[in-house]
Amino acid sequence: MDVRQLRYLAAVVEEGTVTGAAARLHMTQPPLTAQLHALEAEAGCPLFLREGRRLRLTEAGQTLYLRARTILGLCDAAQEEMDAYRAGTAGTLRLGVVSSVRGLLLARWLHGFSAAHPAVRYDISGENTYQQLALTESGQRDIAIVRTPFPASKLTVLPLRREQMLAAASPVYFSAAETQPVTLTSLAKQPLVVYRRWEEVLRSRMEAVGCAPRIRCRCDDAQTTLSLAAAGLGIGLIPASAAAAERENNLIFRAVADEGLATEIVAVCRAPQQLPQSAQAFWKYLEEWAAAENPDGEKEK
């Protein structure tokens, strides 16, 4: 199989029909159908279940499609980089950023960086931390901005900012007149909306003070947490920068009175010296930004 056949496979899966895929690929249906048959013959097993005009992936087809997306992503990234160098620009920065950082912080970084590097283009994706780590390890992202906690990896890690967690709630749970930090003991009495990967950290911190969380909902991003908290489902726990970007919901934010319940924003890459020119420049910019934010060398509280 070759890259062209993998593009055909991806088009058929994403369009749902051979007709739609053929239109997207600017080709007629017969040669596309022939290529699909050839791909199945080379794979040695069925890739599609045919249901009228629509096609549904078999388990083998799903596996090949996922591999195809990775391969095509790498091919497209390589082509974009060559196009950028041929055009005489500084290239495209392939940047992954988790949702809780895509507000004020990302805008501040890109504004400052683009002033010194106006020719750089940006390709920004918004997968969660675990997906960003995998995409960066495979070379599909130059740099990813993620949050701790996450499992140890071989990636280079650049700490950027340490943030305390905030409790976000509708007036059902918090009064606007209350401004004191909320304790873990009082939070344990209320239904909570938490990031799935912070659940164990929260349980550990609460157990240390003799209580346990009442988790009503687990989710995977700041925006979902904020939306559910605004709907009154419970008290959401979010990092401070996610609250800074909040504008629409009528939420009340209170600090959590526990220094150990914190998260760190970090940049990760495979190896700074091996990054494309644009990414090397952005990595250096982040290093300088972090140093300016924390001139005494200590993490921000």
Side-chain angles (χ1 to χ4, degrees):
M1 61 187 70
D2 58 28
V3 172
R4 181 185 58 176
Q5 289 176 313
L6 295 181
R7 290 198 185 279
Y8 293 162
L9 171 68
V12 171
V13 172
E14 291 159 12
E15 296 298 329
T17 65
V18 174
T19 302
R24 169 173 156 179
L25 296 166
H26 305 291
M27 61 189 300
T28 59
Q29 293 183 46
L32 178 56
T33 300
Q35 288 293 331
L36 294 179
H37 288 315
L39 185 59
E40 284 186 309
E42 188 170 351
C45 56
L47 300 177
F48 294 98
L49 295 176
R50 287 153 177 87
E51 301 172 344
R53 292 186 176 182
R54 301 199 67 82
L55 299 177
R56 183 162 60 87
L57 286 174
T58 62
E59 184 175 352
Q62 179 68 22
T63 298
L64 182 58
Y65 171 67
L66 293 176
R67 297 294 188 189
R69 289 310 314 164
T70 298
I71 293 168
L72 293 173
L74 291 170
C75 289
D76 290 344
Q79 186 60 59
E80 286 181 6
E81 288 173 357
M82 295 304 102
D83 290 345
Y85 285 118
R86 184 170 58 251
T89 67
T92 297
L93 173 59
R94 299 174 301 156
L95 183 63
V97 187
V98 294
S99 64
S100 59
V101 187
R102 290 202 302 268
L104 301 179
L105 278 177
L106 178 62
R108 186 188 309 174
W109 288 330
L110 294 189
H111 175 75
F113 179 72
S114 63
H117 301 83
V120 172
R121 295 176 296 176
Y122 304 93
D123 182 352
I124 301 173
S125 67
E127 292 85 1
N128 65 38
T129 287
Y130 295 123
Q131 293 169 323
Q132 295 287 6
L133 293 173
L135 290 167
T136 305
E137 288 177 349
S138 69
Q140 295 182 71
R141 300 289 177 269
D142 297 321
I143 297 170
I145 311 295
V146 297
R147 283 188 181 276
T148 62
F150 54 78
S153 74
K154 296 180 180 179
L155 296 171
T156 300
V157 178
L158 171 64
L160 296 173
R161 168 179 286 185
R162 186 178 187 272
E163 294 184 335
Q164 289 297 120
M165 300 295 289
L166 299 181
S170 71
V172 172
Y173 299 101
F174 285 166
S175 166
E178 296 176 287
T179 59
Q180 293 298 315
V182 59
T183 66
L184 293 180
T185 303
S186 62
L187 284 176
K189 301 174 183 178
Q190 302 291 350
L192 301 177
V193 181
V194 301
Y195 280 38
R196 193 182 314 277
R197 63 194 178 90
W198 288 335
E199 179 181 354
E200 290 306 312
V201 177
L202 177 62
R203 287 189 186 279
S204 176
R205 299 305 299 177
M206 283 193 169
E207 286 174 3
V209 294
C211 59
R214 289 176 52 198
I215 296 177
R216 190 171 190 183
C217 180
R218 301 174 184 84
C219 57
D220 293 313
D221 63 84
Q223 294 308 312
T224 301
T225 302
L226 289 168
S227 296
L228 295 178
L233 195 67
I235 298 174
L237 295 178
I238 61 167
S241 58
E246 172 62 27
R247 292 289 182 269
E248 297 179 1
N249 294 321
N250 185 28
L251 285 167
I252 299 168
F253 297 97
R254 293 176 64 185
V256 179
D258 186 271
E259 286 293 321
L261 194 62
T263 177
E264 192 166 33
I265 302 172
V266 302
V268 298
C269 72
R270 289 192 294 177
Q273 66 274 18
Q274 297 175 7
L275 290 171
Q277 292 180 0
S278 58
Q280 285 190 34
F282 188 65
W283 186 268
K284 182 178 179 181
Y285 173 84
L286 291 178
E287 288 179 324
E288 294 171 350
W289 183 90
E293 283 284 294
N294 305 284
D296 57 358
E298 296 181 0
K299 292 182 176 65
E300 183 173 334
K301 302 292 185 184

